[in-house]
Amino acid sequence: QVQLVDSGGGLVQAGGSLRLSCAASGRTFSDYAMAWFRQAPGKEREFVAAISSSGGMVSSVSSVQGRFTISRDNAKNTVYLQMNSLKPEDTAVYYCAASRRFGVRGSEGYNFWGQGTQVTVSS
């Protein structure tokens, strides 16, 4: 089992920044690829970004490229999502997730999930 705790969400004006964190415990964190998903009200959960177990490879959706950066610190068992130039359409609950495979964009490919953290971007 891997336990994940998301934090760092909040209310921010458009153009602002937030950094989300996801702290992991349980099995070896460095064995897992990590990802961030988000779910807006009335919409399906969608993939945002992923990072390989070593941190050497990243992937993200086009709508956040150039604005969001995923990173990890295996010594701290933590994955981050730095979000800059936030837009109202980024408003959602953000979830981190863990998988044995890197680059999976479907939520069914992830075994463990954080509880979610709310990000609200005002216009």
Side-chain angles (χ1 to χ4, degrees), residues 25-69:
S25 60
R27 292 191 175 181
T28 306
F29 177 69
S30 59
D31 286 346
Y32 290 85
M34 299 296 295
W36 288 95
F37 285 75
R38 65 187 179 186
Q39 188 166 17
K43 295 187 176 181
E44 293 186 353
R45 191 170 298 188
E46 66 170 352
F47 170 84
V48 176
I51 188 166
S52 62
S53 57
S54 67
M57 295 184 290
V58 296
S59 173
S60 61
V61 293
S62 58
S63 61
V64 307
Q65 288 176 1
R67 300 188 300 123
F68 291 11
T69 302

Side-chain angles (χ1 to χ4, degrees), residues 1-4 6 22 24-25 27-29 31-37 51 72 79 95-102 104 106-114:
Q1 292 287 333
V2 176
Q3 292 80 42
L4 302 174
D6 306 323
C22 173
S25 60
R27 292 191 175 181
T28 306
F29 177 69
D31 286 346
Y32 290 85
M34 299 296 295
W36 288 95
F37 285 75
I51 188 166
R72 68 190 294 162
V79 62
Y95 300 88
C96 69
S99 174
R100 289 285 191 175
R101 295 169 54 202
F102 167 69
V104 178
S107 59
E108 67 279 1
Y110 291 80
N111 308 97
F112 305 104
W113 292 84

Side-chain angles (χ1 to χ4, degrees), residues 65-118:
Q65 288 176 1
R67 300 188 300 123
F68 291 11
T69 302
I70 188 170
S71 62
R72 68 190 294 162
D73 185 339
N74 285 347
K76 295 183 178 180
N77 288 357
T78 303
V79 62
Y80 305 98
L81 186 67
Q82 177 67 44
M83 305 187 295
N84 299 328
S85 302
L86 282 160
K87 303 175 181 180
E89 51 264 42
D90 294 319
T91 295
V93 178
Y94 283 70
Y95 300 88
C96 69
S99 174
R100 289 285 191 175
R101 295 169 54 202
F102 167 69
V104 178
R105 297 198 171 196
S107 59
E108 67 279 1
Y110 291 80
N111 308 97
F112 305 104
W113 292 84
Q115 82 286 0
T117 184
Q118 176 71 48

